[in-house]
């Protein structure tokens, strides 16, 4: 199967020289980028690239996809009442059908907003993987592990059995990279963290964990163990070049050095951190010290979208104001954090438009007022672009979004199923949503 994307306005390659090519075409053969430049057919499918900019598909390195069902149920609340009164009661009623509905909605949202690879940590991860596989989306997925159990498992031993089974089942899948998801150092004991890190090392799988998200987490861990959350996780083997540390809002200087030494991938989630008032991660310091930093949205209950264009823009903006320095996190750095940096973390060659990389490509329509005049493609991508500019999305060389239309399932069906699943969770849990004045 050969696909030719012909005569693009620009191609943002994200190669080592960060070249932006004008008027180039892209040839994809059997899912892999065969050539970029002055390429011609004959091929099986031609996509007209005029009025379009091509970028590598965006990579969202932290999410809880099925939480699309909890979007907007409760906002503008303190973290603990929000969790205890709203989120946890609804989550306790989650069953595989809810997960299926919420994941399909999340995949549709991610694809329509230019994301081709999504990281996820949640319950019933086997169902999440099935939906991604059916809909042709790439994912790095981790089964959540919590000491007091999850909606899927009564206790942590059961969680471990599920996680092992999940990793074994999906390890050779072409679109899924399975891993372990120890939730956080305040919900998973140090001994359990040690066991997980040894297992992940043995079978070469990834680890996703929340680390140093709130000031309270860091002070609680310090009181209990006499050290920081990141330091504790490191002591029990969790940090490493196959680990994603989500949030990292409150690292100490010493912990920043640990993240660098271990080549841990940090997932910066600025929108969630702003919405839950967790704080502002010292990302410019992390970058300066050589830590690998990528971008994530977190779950849609705390964002409330999976929109990586918004995430890139917020990243480039908040660090300027927090440092009082407009040079902090330039547009190119924000784009690298959403493409080539997380791309290098995974086992596939993704995150760049170069020969030999997978055909994960997003095309944006630039014949809209906010792209004119087009002096700098990269600046526009971060500061001007809107996710609704996305017209075509290819994952592994297959067209998943064609001219704004999802090719894998009927969108209305996905919406209806998600509405039903969300209402069912509200009803079963007795949680009142924010909907007011509507019968
Ligand atoms: Zn999270």
């Amino acid at each position: 199967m050969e696909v030719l994307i012909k005569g693009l306005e620009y191609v943002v390659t994200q190669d080592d020289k960060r070249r932006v090519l004008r008027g180039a075409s892209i040839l994809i053969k059997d899912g892999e980028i065969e050539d970029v430049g002055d390429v011609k057919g004959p091929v099986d499918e031609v996509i007209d690239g005029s009025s379009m900019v091509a970028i590598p598909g965006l990579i969202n390195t932290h999410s809880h996809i099925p939480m699309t069902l909890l979007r907007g149920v409760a906002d503008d609340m303190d973290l603990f009442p929000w969790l205890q009164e709203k989120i946890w009661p609804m989550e306790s009623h989650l069953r595989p059908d809810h997960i299926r509905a919420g994941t399909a909605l999340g995949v549709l949202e991610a694809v329509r907003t230019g994301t081709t690879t999504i990281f996820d940590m949640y319950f019933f991860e086997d169902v999440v993987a099935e939906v991604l596989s059916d809909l042709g989306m790439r994912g790095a997925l981790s089964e959540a592990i919590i000491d007091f159990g999850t909606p899927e498992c009564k206790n942590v031993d059961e969680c471990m059995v599920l996680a092992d089974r999940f990793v074994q089942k999906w390890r050779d899948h072409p679109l899924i990279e399975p891993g372990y998801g120890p939730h956080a150092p305040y919900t998973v004991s140090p001994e359990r963290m040690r066991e997980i890190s040894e297992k992940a090392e043995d079978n070469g799988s990834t680890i996703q964990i929340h680390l140093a998200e709130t000031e309270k987490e860091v002070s609680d861990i310090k009181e209990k163990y006499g050290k920081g959350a990141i330091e504790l996780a490191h002591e029990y083997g969790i940090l490493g070049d196959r680990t994603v540390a989500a949030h990292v809002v409150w690292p100490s200087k010493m912990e920043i050095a640990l993240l660098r030494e271990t080549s841990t991938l940090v997932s910066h989630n600025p929108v969630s951190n702003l919405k839950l008032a967790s704080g502002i991660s010292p990302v410019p310091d992390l970058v300066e010290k050589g830590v690998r930093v990528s971008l994530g949205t977190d779950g849609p209950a705390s964002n409330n979208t999976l929109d990586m264009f918004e995430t890139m823009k917020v990243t480039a903006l908040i660090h300027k104001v927090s440092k009082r320095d407009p040079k902090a996190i330039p547009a190119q750095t924000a784009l690298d954090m959403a493409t080539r940096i997380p791309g290098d973390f995974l086992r596939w060659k993704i995150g760049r438009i170069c020969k030999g990389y997978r055909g994960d490509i997003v095309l944006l329509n630039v014949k809209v007022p906010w792209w004119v005049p087009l002096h700098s493609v990269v600046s526009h991508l971060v500061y001007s672009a809107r996710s609704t500019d996305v017209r075509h999305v290819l994952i592994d060389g297959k067209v998943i979004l064609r001219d704004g239309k999802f090719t894998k399932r009927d969108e209305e069906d996905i919406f209806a199923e998600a509405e039903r699943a969300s209402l069912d969770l509200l009803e079963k849990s007795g949680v009142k949503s924010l909907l007011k004045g509507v019968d």
Side-chain angles (χ1 to χ4, degrees), residues 62-64 67 121 183 210 213 246-247 269 272 298-299 302:
H62 184 63
S63 173
H64 315 285
M67 291 182 89
M121 178 215 284
H183 174 264
H210 296 98
E213 179 175 359
H247 298 300
N269 291 223
S272 168
D298 209 354
S302 54

Side-chain angles (χ1 to χ4, degrees), residues 59-68 102-103 106-107 109-110 115 117-123 125 128 132 137 140-144 181 183 208-210 244 246-247 267-269 272 295-308:
I59 302 172
N60 180 349
T61 58
H62 184 63
S63 173
H64 315 285
I65 308 169
M67 291 182 89
T68 47
T103 305
V107 167
E109 180 182 356
T115 294
T117 300
I118 191 158
F119 286 52
D120 190 66
M121 178 215 284
Y122 211 53
F123 327 118
E125 204 62 43
V128 175
L132 262 72
M137 173 108 195
L141 312 177
S142 287
E143 176 78 29
H183 174 264
Q208 299 182 36
I209 185 168
H210 296 98
V244 183
H247 298 300
S267 178
H268 176 42
N269 291 223
S272 168
L295 301 181
T297 55
D298 209 354
S302 54
N303 184 300
N304 293 358
T305 69
L306 295 167
D307 189 333
M308 288 292 288

Side-chain angles (χ1 to χ4, degrees), residues 178-347:
Y180 295 89
H183 174 264
Y186 61 94
T187 49
V188 178
S189 70
E191 297 70 32
R192 191 63 65 172
M193 285 200 277
R194 166 85 67 210
E195 186 193 341
I196 292 166
S197 64
E198 286 172 359
K199 286 192 169 195
E201 170 106 46
D202 276 355
N203 55 31
S205 44
T206 55
I207 293 175
Q208 299 182 36
I209 185 168
H210 296 98
L211 277 182
E213 179 175 359
T214 64
E215 220 172 355
K216 180 174 167 15
E217 169 195 338
V218 170
S219 68
D220 287 354
I221 294 280
K222 201 157 261 171
E223 201 173 302
K224 195 164 171 191
Y225 301 102
K227 57 195 69 170
I230 298 169
E231 193 186 353
L232 181 74
H234 177 55
E235 213 175 287
Y236 287 85
I238 290 290
L239 302 189
D241 62 3
R242 299 288 284 152
T243 296
V244 183
H247 298 300
V248 187
V249 178
W250 299 96
S252 69
K253 272 205 175 71
M254 187 265 274
E255 289 175 323
I256 293 176
L258 287 177
L259 291 165
R260 186 187 60 78
E261 280 161 25
T262 55
S263 297
T264 302
L265 183 70
V266 167
S267 178
H268 176 42
N269 291 223
V271 178
S272 168
N273 299 155
L274 290 169
K275 183 161 183 267
L276 296 173
S278 308
I280 297 177
S281 171
V283 167
D285 300 343
L286 297 180
V287 171
E288 197 204 352
K289 293 283 180 331
V291 176
R292 304 162 81 190
V293 182
S294 62
L295 301 181
T297 55
D298 209 354
S302 54
N303 184 300
N304 293 358
T305 69
L306 295 167
D307 189 333
M308 288 292 288
F309 280 96
E310 181 182 75
T311 301
M312 285 196 290
K313 181 167 181 173
V314 171
T315 300
L317 296 183
I318 57 167
H319 300 295
K320 295 182 197 325
V321 76
S322 75
K323 284 275 185 191
R324 306 280 197 282
D325 176 6
K327 298 183 294 309
I329 311 297
Q332 182 66 62
T333 307
L335 184 62
D336 290 356
M337 289 173 172
T339 53
R340 49 181 283 142
I341 294 172
D344 289 348
F345 173 84
L346 292 167
R347 68 179 155 95

Side-chain angles (χ1 to χ4, degrees), residues 381-395:
L381 275 170
V382 173
Y383 297 117
S384 305
R386 293 166 192 192
S387 52
T388 47
D389 301 339
V390 172
R391 297 306 298 167
H392 306 284
V393 174
L394 289 85
I395 302 177

